[in-house]
Structures are given as C-alpha cells and as structure tokens.
Amino acid sequence: MRSPLSALFWRELRIARSVGGGGAMSLVFFLILVSLTPFAIGPDLNLLSRIGPAILWIAALLATLLGLDRLFQVDADDGSLDLLLTASTPLELIVVVKCVAHWIATALPLVIASPLLGLTLAMEPTSLAGISLSLLAGTPALTMLGAIGAALTAGLRRGGLLMAVLILPLTTPVLIFGVSSAAAATGGTVPFHIPMLILSGLSLASLAGAPFAAAAALRARDA
Amino acid sequence: MNQAFTLTSLLARGLCVDRGGRTIVKNINFDLRAGEALVALGRNGAGKSTLLRAIAGFLPLSGGQLTHTGGEVEISLPELCHYVGHADGLKSALTAAENLAFWAHMLTRSNDASSPELALQRVGLKRLAEFPVAYLSAGQKRRVALARLFMAPRPLWILDEPATALDVASQQVLAQAFAEHRAAGGMIIAATHAPLGLIDATTLDLGSTPSNLGGNA
C-alpha cells in the first residue's frame, strides 16, 4: 500500500497535468514573455545577450507566481483542505509534498526550456548552462516562499495580486543572486560558485522554514 | 466496520466559538458515549456548521473544553473523525474511485482501508467508479463524498447536512449506515433540517439567534 504522502504527490501531479490544472500555464507564459523580448528590444545582439539572464529570471519569477495562488485555494474551495487537516499526516509535510509536486509540474519545465529560449536572446553556451543551473537552484526558493503567500491568501477570492505583493519582496534576493550567478558563468569578477552557493542556501532555508509558516497560515485560515 | 472503536466518550463543557470577533456559538454542553448520536438543530445562521467545524478542529474554541476518552487518547480528535461538509472534497479531474482511493490513503493509519469499489457499491455508484467526478450530478457527488465514510474506519462522524441533494433510496442507505456505525460503537454528530433516520438521537437546539442559546445534554 502506498504511503499517504506518495498518494498525495501523485494526485497533485495528475491534477496539474489534467486540463485546467494549470501545469502548462506557467510554461506558456514564460515562452510568451521571453520570446516577445527580442521583438521589443530590437536586433541588437550584444544588448540581448547582456540582458538575457535578467529577462529569463524575471520571466521565471513571474511565471512561478502565476500558478502559485491556486496552490491551496483550490483545496480550500472544494473542501479538501478541511479533510487534509483531519489526516494523521502533519500539515507541514503535506505542504512540502504539495510544493514539490507543484515545482515539478511548473518550475522544472521552465528550467528545461530556459536554454532553448536563451538561444533566442543570443546568449553564449556557458551562459545558457549558467542560467539553467541557477534556475534549478533558485526556483525551489520561489515555490516555497510563494507557498507562504498562497497559504495566507487561500481563503480569499482573487488573492493572486495580494499574494504577489506579499511575496515579491521576499523573492528579491533570489532574483539578485540568480541573475548574478548566470552572469558570473560568462566571466566577471565573481567566481560562479559563490552566487550559486548563496542561491542554494536561500532554497534550502526556505525549504526548511516555509512549510511551518504556510501550515500555520492554513490552520488559522478560518478563525 | 465490525471492529470496536476506541473512542468511548466525548464531553463538551461550555463550548464557545468566535468568528470575526462575534461569538457565534455560546455555552454548548453535551455528553456523547460510544454508539450515541447527536443532532444539532436550529435555524439558518444559528451556528450549526460553526459548532461542527470547531468540534472537527478547523476552528479554535474561544472557551470551554472538549475532551475525549478511549484507548488511544493520545490521538487528537480531528484524526478520529470523518467530516462531511457542504464542500465535497472531490477533485473533478479525477474519477470517483481515484478520489476515494486517495482519501483512503490519507485518512487511514494502517492497512485497514476497504476498496473504493466496495464503498461505491454501498452508495449505488459502482458503475460510475471510472467516471470523472466532473460529470456526476450534485446528488451523485454527495454520495461519493459519503462513500468516504466507508473507506477508512473512524469512530466519530461529523456530518453537516449529509442528506442534501440525496434521493430517498440514498437516504435509506445512509440511515442504515448510521445504524451499523452506531452498533459498532461509533458516534455521530450531525447538523440537519431534514430527518436523517437517526433513532434515539440526542438533540441539541442551537436556538434562533446566537445570543439565545440553550445548551442541552
């Protein structure tokens, strides 16, 4: 028999992949945002390759936020959240599993698509590798921090904007070190591993702390 | 459903629940022993759902005590109860059987869950087991939600208007399930406007307004 957490994980993945589940929405938004940029900036390849990492990171940040407001709201609306509170599994672990499934369904496709889209921004191969690695290390922090905002706004209609306002200040360090590690891959004064280590640290710290904050917000949702 | 449950009594003393700064439920007392049922009555807005959600642990108590006794007192009350509320807790993209199998995994402590097919057969929906829940009617969704009660054995059933949208045959199935659950030593707390077929149930009248409450044992 499956454990409760693996049952939850596979359920979340199946729902994200089903029609209307929102799994593909982040990726499509990411594709639109990045592929429109060269048209807006014009055919200046030097400029494009210099701002490419920043464009990809901003697009990834916004695309991640786009799907996150539904993370707990759907469960709150259809009553699943109440039932999850009566499960024997701690709510903190449920939050972690939902975030991992959400990351795999929405952020991992962005990591995989980013080198392909980087080509349209005239980025060099080392820079492409750098942006993929920095997104891989940094997007877990975006998902976990976003889970706090999603939990706080789970009971609200149209909570997406409020969630973005709450969460964007917290995600600014992730954006700064994400772009700087992608830029460090092509040279510069800072070795590549330093911003990458800070980025990984941000992800690990949010993975350790955010589940408790999100679970507390979900428990206090109704009171 | 034949094993004896470990929850032997549930005692409420002076329960109060606040929502949004207003006291909605005030000074509720009841004693519930194994095999007994409690029916909360009252007009719309009297606080029935609030009381049930507080007993299930979704809302904090602003006053009073809720204690349970039994063999496994270290287990918290929410983990001993099934809650069936207005929202069905079903994912419309998944089939009825998948929804039930998921809740069986989440709500059981050990391997004593029954199969989704058996539970769906009890509520007369076996042939719709592989249908996505999105295609089911309101009454059929409610029956799938009620089938959750048979998936994982838990001693306390907390039911918020369980008979909503049910046809007469399903109401009889439900009444029979109630009788079996109580015979096995389970407890039921229900809020309802329609008769549920609960024999010898204690009634708890929540009155018409939140300020006019008479606790009743």
Side-chain angles (χ1 to χ4, degrees):
Chain A
M1 175 167 158
R2 267 193 208 165
S3 80
L5 289 175
S6 76
L8 178 68
F9 176 78
W10 289 110
R11 178 182 90 134
E12 292 295 318
L13 271 193
R14 284 208 55 183
I15 292 167
R17 286 181 57 232
S18 67
V19 178
M25 191 169 65
S26 298
L27 182 62
V28 171
F29 181 77
F30 185 68
L31 293 177
I32 291 171
L33 209 61
V34 176
S35 56
L36 280 179
T37 309
F39 295 106
I41 305 254
D44 184 344
L45 292 185
N46 286 330
L47 179 64
L48 275 178
S49 64
R50 204 168 76 241
I51 63 169
I55 299 286
L56 283 170
W57 253 98
I58 291 173
L61 173 61
L62 295 179
T64 311
L65 282 183
L66 186 68
L68 264 173
D69 64 321
R70 305 285 288 158
L71 182 59
F72 299 113
Q73 200 184 30
V74 181
D75 283 339
D77 287 348
D78 69 12
S80 300
L81 198 57
D82 290 339
L83 298 173
L84 288 174
L85 287 171
T86 68
S88 317
T89 317
L91 191 58
E92 287 79 5
L93 284 178
I94 290 174
V95 168
V96 171
V97 168
K98 280 183 73 80
C99 288
V100 170
H102 187 267
W103 183 81
I104 289 175
T106 61
L108 197 57
L110 304 187
V111 175
I112 295 167
S114 60
L116 296 171
L117 286 168
L119 285 175
T120 70
L121 297 172
M123 285 164 66
E124 297 164 26
T126 48
S127 187
L128 293 177
I131 194 81
S132 291
L133 280 175
S134 69
L135 282 174
L136 187 65
T139 44
L142 299 182
T143 304
M144 296 309 299
L145 291 171
I148 303 175
L152 283 168
T153 56
L156 304 177
R157 298 278 156 272
R158 306 248 158 228
L161 183 65
L162 181 60
M163 190 203 94
V165 171
L166 287 171
I167 289 308
L168 276 176
L170 297 175
T171 55
T172 316
V174 183
L175 182 69
I176 292 171
F177 288 105
V179 176
S180 64
S181 63
T186 53
T189 53
V190 186
F192 177 62
H193 69 273
I194 291 178
M196 273 301 278
L197 285 178
I198 297 176
L199 204 55
S200 311
L202 287 171
S203 278
L204 290 174
S206 55
L207 183 64
F212 296 98
L218 289 176
R219 288 204 183 92
R221 172 180 57 99
D222 245 0
Chain B
M1 273 287 149
N2 293 327
Q3 99 271 20
F5 291 116
T6 53
L7 192 61
T8 52
S9 76
L10 179 67
L11 308 177
R13 290 288 171 269
L15 295 189
C16 297
V17 189
D18 289 359
R19 290 187 94 168
R22 282 176 61 221
T23 303
I24 303 293
V25 173
K26 202 153 119 195
N27 200 21
I28 297 294
N29 300 296
F30 62 80
D31 288 11
L32 205 57
R33 310 270 162 201
E36 290 182 350
L38 179 76
V39 176
L41 301 171
R43 271 199 256 168
N44 295 139
K48 301 186 294 294
S49 297
T50 302
L51 176 65
L52 261 51
R53 292 181 66 80
I55 295 170
F58 307 148
L59 292 171
L61 296 174
S62 61
Q65 269 193 322
L66 192 62
T67 48
H68 61 285
T69 58
E72 295 175 90
V73 281
E74 77 275 12
I75 302 175
S76 69
L77 195 58
E79 290 172 44
L80 294 170
C81 75
H82 268 298
Y83 177 81
V84 178
H86 297 287
D88 290 324
L90 304 171
K91 292 291 176 196
S92 50
L94 304 181
T95 68
E98 285 170 338
N99 269 298
L100 286 179
F102 167 72
W103 286 118
H105 287 306
M106 282 313 287
L107 298 178
T108 43
R109 320 192 114 254
S110 52
N111 289 353
D112 48 6
S114 69
S115 80
E117 282 72 23
L118 276 175
L120 283 169
Q121 192 171 24
R122 279 195 75 171
V123 295
L125 287 177
K126 196 181 176 210
R127 70 197 167 82
L128 296 177
E130 299 307 319
F131 258 58
V133 167
Y135 299 142
L136 301 185
S137 76
Q140 287 170 332
K141 280 181 193 163
R142 176 44 60 104
R143 277 148 76 184
V144 176
L146 288 167
R148 215 167 43 225
L149 298 171
F150 313 129
M151 292 295 297
R154 288 190 164 197
L156 176 60
W157 289 3
I158 298 178
L159 311 168
D160 198 352
E161 308 205 15
T164 311
L166 287 188
D167 55 28
V168 175
S170 302
Q171 287 177 18
Q172 284 167 356
V173 169
L174 194 60
Q176 196 194 347
F178 288 160
E180 283 174 29
H181 180 63
R182 291 171 68 188
M187 301 178 192
I188 296 171
I189 301 179
T192 186
H193 294 290
L196 287 175
L198 282 167
I199 302 150
D200 299 332
T202 315
T203 58
L204 180 67
D205 195 352
L206 288 174
S208 51
T209 57
S211 59
N212 172 29
L213 292 175
N216 180 9

